[in-house]
C-alpha cells in the first residue's frame, strides 16, 4: 500500500461510518413514520366503523319517524273527515 492510499483509507472508512449512521437514522425515521401512518389508518378505520354505526342508528330512527309520520297523516285525514261531517251537521241544523 502506498502512503497516499494509507492516508485516504481512514477518511473513506470514516465516510462509510457516517453513511451507515445516516442510513440507520433514515431507516429509523421511516419506521417511525410508518408506525404513525399505521396508527392513523387504525384511527380512521375506527372512525369509519363509528360513523357506520351512527348511520345505521339514524336509518332506524328515520324508519321509525316515517312510520310515525304516516300514522299522523292518517290521523289528520280522519280529523279532516270528521270536520267535514261536523260542518255538514252544522249546516243541516242551521237549515232546520
Amino acid at each position: 500500500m502506498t502512503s497516499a492510499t494509507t492516508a485516504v483509507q481512514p477518511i473513506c472508512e470514516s465516510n462509510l461510518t457516517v453513511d451507515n449512521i445516516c442510513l440507520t437514522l433514515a431507516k429509523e425515521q421511516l419506521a417511525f413514520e410508518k408506525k404513525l401512518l399505521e396508527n392513523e389508518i387504525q384511527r380512521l378505520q375506527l372512525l369509519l366503523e363509528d360513523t357506520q354505526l351512527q348511520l345505521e342508528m339514524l336509518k332506524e330512527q328515520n324508519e321509525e319517524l316515517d312510520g310515525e309520520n304516516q300514522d299522523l297523516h292518517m290521523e289528520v285525514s280522519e280529523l279532516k273527515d270528521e270536520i267535514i261531517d261536523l260542518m255538514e251537521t252544522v249546516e243541516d241544523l242551521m237549515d232546520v
Side-chain angles (χ1 to χ4, degrees), residues 13-76:
E13 287 176 5
S14 173
N15 285 340
L16 287 176
T17 303
V18 169
D19 287 346
N20 284 339
I21 291 170
C22 289
L23 287 173
T24 301
L25 290 173
K27 279 176 60 178
E28 289 177 7
Q29 178 69 26
L30 287 173
F32 177 74
E33 290 177 8
K34 180 182 176 187
K35 187 65 177 169
L36 287 177
L37 289 172
E38 289 170 349
N39 289 343
E40 182 65 8
I41 288 169
Q42 185 178 18
R43 184 187 73 79
L44 290 172
Q45 286 173 332
L46 291 173
L47 182 61
L48 176 61
E49 289 174 16
D50 183 54
T51 302
Q52 288 171 331
L53 288 173
Q54 289 179 5
L55 178 61
E56 283 301 313
M57 288 183 356
L58 289 173
K59 284 180 180 178
E60 289 173 10
Q61 288 176 350
N62 189 42
E63 288 173 5
E64 290 173 12
L65 290 173
D66 279 345
E68 289 177 21
N69 191 28
Q70 289 176 359
D71 291 345
L72 288 173
H73 276 291
M74 287 175 45
E75 284 183 40
V76 166

